[in-house]
């Protein structure tokens, strides 16, 4: 028999065309991957759980942050869009004011475009002078009260969006004549036992008798006025030595804050507008971004961690399933599956898992956002791209998680794989 | 295509082993095949008999391009396949060779139909044709009534027949069967051998390992393996 080896080999030059190549269409590969997943639905669901929860957490996080952000902004919106304040700039070194606001600031500013109401205010130094009702009707027995006294120009009440429980604000006439009238915040009114204004109740501020013409209900922009005794600024100037208004408050047309702010300084101090400090509240967009950035940063980290755990979960279970399905891999290799077909199938399976996990996670996340929003009485807000991007992220996670197990599977030698009995 | 149409091809052996050895490194090293020479012609039905551990399965694995000889040359259809890259050997396995494993090796979580169809997954057979052929092959081994069953629910003999159906699905030119009748009763053995002989008559080459003398006797030619060596049996 030996001489057989020595004779000219019967082997032909092996042309590539003679040899069959492993071939598999994409459709077949996808069908096999899907069938592989459906063959063991329990395990498939379990594998998916990690991505589902990770993506769900991410979507829910972004949605809750956005909903919370919009909610806060919704409360701010109208007030912040219409508010401007101005006051004399403080000298940095000596901490004294460089200039003062003019007494007629309200009139100067009131003419500007976009201004709906304007008014000045200042704290009145009353020393140890106390406030008491006339006649004394305080049930607690305390008659003299230490109260904050604020001087206001007539326009201030509208400028700070004040509403009245009783009576009304003092007007331009009261102010110009320095009439002895007063408006009480709800706090002082209660302490002084004054509950209505119809019968012209009066109080004593020091030894000056002032007629109460209004009691405030609420002050949206200057809550401190709720606890103040408010007198006309001309009265404060003549009777209490007020030097100048301290602050100008302006209520503008919707969205006109920037325009008004630009004109304000020049109107108040034409010689040197720089001495006036004008402030506009941050725009709602800024507030929203700030809030969302805070919430997002915290929860995105949590969501990302959840997603990472999900990816490790997929990778781990896929790896375990490669080990478990070693003999199946052997069978397929024996039946003519190329290494890339094995790798492709496992990669497709884990990618599909990631995709479906992403879709399910996005749905879960959206549901969580809606439920939380309803519970909090918010309007649920979620950018459309978030649930749309989620399946992409899931797909990528599945793909990445499948790479190593797929390569492991492809590296197996057919016979060795067959021997590993599952 | 019948044998008579292609006399020229019949002259050349389908299988040609030239001093093929397969040594497992161990420890201790096992010489499962020792410098074998063997020629098998097209359409031949060869039975391999021999005691357990003599190297019969190892021989079939080498013939089926599942294992490589550690020495010697293996020419399949005249092509030296021992040194071919993995991809070509894989293509041969998928499209020219059918294999019935001693341990069946069915995919436990897939149906009988899917198991059989898998044999034509990697050779570009269109889906409908694959389905058709799978149904046909399953019918030929008499398992049409279990086509959607899970292999886990089948008896040993039924699993064996599924393995045969899978092996013949792609109409291989070489069928390697490792004790394909080991779990079958005489009637089923008879039917299966009838089927395989029919395929041989159409030009398929069959190498079958068997422990059953009756089965071996029906083969056109018999070889005995003893301790890694081959002997022709008269
Ligand atoms: N992967 C392996 N590593 C080491 N030794 C092996 C390996 N595969 C087979 N062998 C050894 O090679 C020898 C031949 O094994 P083989 O499976 O070919 O025997 P067989 O003739 O098919 O036996 P049986 O009739 O029991 O199936 C045995 O001694 C076996 O232990
Ligand atoms: Mg054996």
């Amino acid at each position: 028999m030996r001489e057989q080896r020595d004779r000219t080999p019967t082997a032909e030059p092996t042309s590539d065309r003679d040899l069959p190549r492993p071939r598999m269409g994409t459709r077949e590969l996808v069908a096999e991957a899907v069938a592989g997943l459906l063959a063991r639905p329990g395990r498939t669901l379990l594998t998916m759980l990690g991505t589902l929860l990770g993506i769900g957490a991410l979507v829910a996080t972004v949605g809750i942050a956005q909903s919370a952000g919009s909610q806060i902004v919704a409360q701010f919106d109208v007030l912040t869009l219409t508010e401007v304040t101005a006051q004399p700039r403080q000298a940095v070194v000596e901490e004294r004011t460089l200039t003062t606001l003019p007494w007629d600031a309200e009139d100067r500013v009131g003419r500007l475009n976009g201004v709906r109401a304007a008014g000045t205010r200042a704290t009145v130094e009353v020393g140890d002078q106390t406030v008491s009702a006339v006649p004394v009707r305080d049930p607690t027995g305390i008659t003299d009260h230490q109260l904050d006294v604020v001087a206001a120009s007539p326009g201030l009440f509208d400028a700070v969006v004040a509403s009245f429980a009783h009576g009304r604000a003092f007007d331009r006439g009261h102010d110009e004549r320095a009439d002895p009238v007063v408006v009480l915040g709800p706090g002082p009114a209660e302490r002084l036992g004054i509950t209505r204004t119809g019968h012209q109740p009066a109080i004593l501020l020091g030894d000056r008798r002032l007629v109460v013409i209004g009691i405030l209900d609420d002050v949206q922009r200057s809550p401190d006025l709720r606890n103040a005794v408010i007198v006309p600024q001309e009265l404060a100037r003549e009777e209490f030595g007020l030097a100048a208004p301290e602050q100008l408050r302006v209520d503008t047309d919707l969205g006109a804050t920037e325009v008004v702010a630009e004109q304000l300084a020049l109107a108040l101090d034409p010689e040197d507008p720089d001495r006036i400090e004008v402030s506009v509240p941050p725009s709602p967009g800024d507030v929203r971004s700030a809030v969302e950035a805070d919430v997002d940063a915290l929860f995105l980290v949590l969501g990302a961690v959840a997603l990472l755990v999900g990816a490790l979960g997929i990778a781990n279970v896929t790896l375990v399933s490669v080990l478990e399905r070693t003999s199946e891999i052997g069978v397929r290799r024996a039946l003519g599956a190329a290494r890339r077909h094995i790798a492709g199938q496992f990669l497709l399976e884990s990618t599909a898992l990631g995709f479906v996990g992403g879709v399910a996670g996005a749905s879960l996340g959206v549901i969580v956002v809606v439920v939380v929003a309803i519970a909090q009485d918010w309007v649920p807000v979620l950018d459309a791209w978030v649930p749309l991007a989620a399946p992409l992220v899931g797909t990528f996670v599945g793909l990445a998680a499948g790479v190593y197990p797929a390569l492991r599977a492809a590296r197996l030698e057919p016979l060795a794989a067959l021997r590993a009995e599952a | 295509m019948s044998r008579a149409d292609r006399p020229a091809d019949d002259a050349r052996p389908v299988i040609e082993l030239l001093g093929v050895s397969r040594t497992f490194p161990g420890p201790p090293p096992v010489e499962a095949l020792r410098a074998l020479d063997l020629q098998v012609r097209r359409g031949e039905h060869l039975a391999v008999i021999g005691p357990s551990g003599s190297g019969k399965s190892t021989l079939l694995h080498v013939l089926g391009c599942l294992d490589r000889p550690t020495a010697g040359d293996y020419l399949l259809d005249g092509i030296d396949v021992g040194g071919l890259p993995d991809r070509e050997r894989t293509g041969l396995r998928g499209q020219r060779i059918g294999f019935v494993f001693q341990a069946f090796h069915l995919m436990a979580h897939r149906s009988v139909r899917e198991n059989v169809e898998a044999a034509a997954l990697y050779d570009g057979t269109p889906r409908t044709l694959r389905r058709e052929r799978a149904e046909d092959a399953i019918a030929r081994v008499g398992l049409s009534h279990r086509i959607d069953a899970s292999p886990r629910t089948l008896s040993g003999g039924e699993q064996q027949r599924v393995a045969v159906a899978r092996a013949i699905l792609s109409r291989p030119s070489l069928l390697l069967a490792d004790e394909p009748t080991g779990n079958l009763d005489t009637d089923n053995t008879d039917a299966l051998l009838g089927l395989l002989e029919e395929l041989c008559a159409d030009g398929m080459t069959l190498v079958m390992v068997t422990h059953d003398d009756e089965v071996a006797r029906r083969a056109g030619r018999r070889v005995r393996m003893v301790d890694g060596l081959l002997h022709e049996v008269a």
Side-chain angles (χ1 to χ4, degrees):
Chain A
M1 297 279 261
R2 281 287 104 187
E3 69 271 25
Q4 271 191 334
R5 302 208 64 195
D6 300 326
R7 73 178 180 184
T8 40
T10 44
E12 297 166 338
T14 58
S15 98
D16 280 356
R17 203 167 298 168
D18 287 354
L19 292 174
R21 296 288 175 82
R23 273 191 294 152
M24 190 185 203
T26 314
R27 237 182 66 182
E28 265 71 30
L29 195 58
V30 170
E32 271 312 286
V34 170
L37 290 174
L38 295 182
R40 309 187 65 180
R43 138 162 311 221
T44 300
L45 282 181
L46 212 62
T47 313
M48 212 169 60
L49 206 59
T51 338
L52 192 156
L53 293 179
I55 300 268
L58 267 182
V59 171
T61 299
V62 174
I64 290 172
Q66 288 185 346
S67 300
S70 318
Q71 182 58 23
I72 293 165
V73 170
Q75 289 172 345
F76 272 81
D77 268 352
V78 175
L79 287 180
T80 50
L81 278 170
T82 55
E83 180 182 14
V84 181
T85 58
Q87 56 199 38
R89 196 177 294 281
Q90 300 276 314
V92 180
V93 185
E94 298 162 52
E95 278 211 359
R96 62 178 177 83
T97 52
L98 298 171
T99 183
T100 55
L101 292 181
W103 290 103
D104 62 346
E106 176 178 325
D107 291 339
R108 296 195 197 184
V109 170
R111 287 191 296 267
L112 296 178
N113 247 343
V115 172
R116 284 214 301 233
T120 49
R121 59 172 287 182
T123 303
V124 181
E125 300 298 337
V126 291
D128 52 9
Q129 301 181 68
T130 56
V131 180
S132 55
V134 185
V136 175
R137 62 180 88 193
D138 194 320
T140 61
I142 302 167
T143 55
D144 298 338
H145 301 274
Q146 290 280 344
L147 294 172
D148 292 338
V149 180
V150 170
S153 70
L156 181 73
F157 297 100
D158 284 342
V160 297
V161 197
S163 56
F164 281 80
H166 300 283
R168 57 191 181 89
F170 42 78
D171 57 23
R172 184 172 295 268
H174 290 126
D175 189 37
E176 277 167 5
R177 294 187 300 270
D179 283 346
V181 294
V182 66
V183 168
L184 298 179
E190 193 186 344
R191 289 169 70 178
L192 294 166
I194 296 170
T195 54
R196 60 183 80 179
T197 53
H199 56 290
Q200 301 235 321
I203 60 168
L204 282 176
L205 172 52
D207 54 5
R208 288 174 196 79
R209 187 172 185 279
L210 305 174
V211 175
V212 179
I213 61 168
I215 298 175
L216 292 174
D217 179 31
D218 194 15
V219 187
Q220 291 195 35
R221 278 188 188 147
S222 288
D224 65 307
L225 290 182
R226 292 167 52 88
N227 287 314
V229 172
I230 305 160
V231 299
Q233 72 178 13
E234 192 58 30
L235 179 74
R237 178 188 184 184
E238 287 175 15
E239 302 287 327
F240 301 99
L242 180 66
E246 289 166 355
Q247 190 184 46
L248 173 76
R249 307 292 298 252
V250 183
D251 182 39
T252 74
D253 288 333
L254 201 61
T257 50
E258 296 295 338
V259 180
V260 170
E262 278 166 24
Q263 311 169 65
L264 217 51
L266 193 65
L268 292 172
D269 191 346
E271 284 164 34
D272 189 356
D274 280 349
R275 291 185 294 196
I276 303 292
E277 181 184 338
V278 178
S279 56
V280 177
S283 79
D286 294 344
V287 174
R288 178 183 286 140
S289 307
V291 172
E292 282 175 14
D294 284 355
V295 186
D296 276 6
L298 176 65
F299 285 95
L300 277 182
V301 168
L302 291 178
V305 168
L307 195 61
L308 185 69
V309 171
L312 288 177
I314 290 197
N316 194 36
V317 181
T318 307
L319 197 58
V320 169
S321 106
V322 164
L323 297 179
E324 272 188 10
R325 288 162 68 182
T326 300
S327 86
E328 175 191 326
I329 293 167
V331 170
R332 290 178 184 277
R333 295 281 284 127
L335 293 177
R339 293 186 194 279
R340 66 199 147 88
H341 296 144
I342 300 294
Q345 180 177 344
F346 277 87
L347 207 54
L348 257 175
E349 285 188 19
S350 76
T351 306
L353 274 184
F355 172 75
V356 178
V359 171
S363 317
L364 179 72
V366 169
I367 290 171
V368 168
V369 171
V370 170
V371 167
V372 168
I374 288 172
Q376 299 281 336
D377 231 353
W378 294 345
V379 178
V381 176
L382 186 60
D383 284 347
W385 66 265
V386 176
L388 292 182
L392 282 181
V393 175
T395 305
F396 178 77
V397 166
L399 184 71
V403 169
Y404 176 66
L407 290 180
R408 281 274 303 253
R411 264 207 298 272
L412 289 170
E413 287 299 330
L415 209 51
L418 279 174
R419 273 213 189 85
E421 236 357 286
Chain B
M1 196 158 296
S2 77
R3 296 173 61 189
D5 294 339
R6 307 182 60 179
D9 272 14
D10 288 349
R12 186 194 295 141
V14 174
I15 291 173
E16 191 166 12
L17 296 184
L18 303 170
V20 163
S21 297
R22 176 62 167 107
T23 305
F24 294 106
V30 178
E31 286 185 80
L33 304 179
R34 301 171 193 243
L36 299 189
D37 292 313
L38 176 69
Q39 293 195 7
V40 184
R41 279 175 290 108
R42 179 174 304 278
E44 203 167 12
H45 177 180
L46 176 71
V48 182
I49 54 177
S52 178
S54 56
K56 305 182 296 294
S57 293
T58 306
L59 173 65
L60 247 51
H61 292 149
V62 168
L63 293 178
C65 292
L66 283 165
D67 202 2
R68 290 181 200 260
T70 43
D73 294 326
Y74 168 27
L75 309 182
L76 175 64
D77 284 331
I79 300 162
D80 184 356
V81 294
L84 284 182
D86 184 76
R87 191 163 59 139
E88 270 83 29
R89 287 166 59 85
T90 301
L92 285 171
R93 284 200 299 268
Q95 290 163 52
R96 297 227 181 130
I97 302 172
F99 214 116
V100 182
F101 293 99
Q102 195 169 6
F104 319 144
H105 291 312
L106 301 176
M107 296 185 280
H109 294 277
R110 309 297 288 274
S111 70
V112 166
R113 179 203 298 277
E114 288 174 312
N115 266 281
V116 174
E117 268 191 36
L121 256 185
Y122 304 101
D123 59 8
T125 309
R127 208 168 74 100
T128 43
L129 186 57
R130 209 165 63 221
R131 264 187 106 76
E132 233 168 72
R133 286 188 176 173
E135 281 165 15
D136 180 52
I138 291 167
R140 290 179 87 166
V141 297
L143 280 177
S144 294
H145 60 295
R146 303 288 301 199
I147 193 164
D148 289 315
S150 156
R152 283 171 298 182
T153 66
L154 299 184
S155 74
E158 285 171 331
Q159 291 186 40
Q160 193 148 39
R161 284 185 281 158
V162 175
V164 171
R166 182 176 67 187
I168 63 173
L169 180 81
S170 293
R171 319 248 165 109
S173 58
L174 174 62
L175 182 67
L176 305 165
D178 204 342
E179 292 202 48
T181 60
N183 290 278
L184 300 183
D185 56 70
T186 37
D187 281 356
N188 270 308
T189 299
D190 209 48
L192 186 69
L193 288 176
L195 168 61
L196 296 182
E197 280 158 7
E198 211 175 286
L199 295 170
C200 281
D202 272 351
M204 184 186 78
T205 308
L206 172 63
V207 178
M208 182 195 297
V209 171
T210 183
H211 279 129
D212 186 333
D213 287 342
E214 284 297 318
V215 172
R217 216 164 290 145
R218 283 179 69 163
R221 180 182 163 203
R222 282 166 294 281
V223 291
R224 175 185 298 278
M225 280 218 77
V226 179
D227 212 7
L229 292 170
L230 263 186
H231 308 280
E232 294 283 341
V233 178

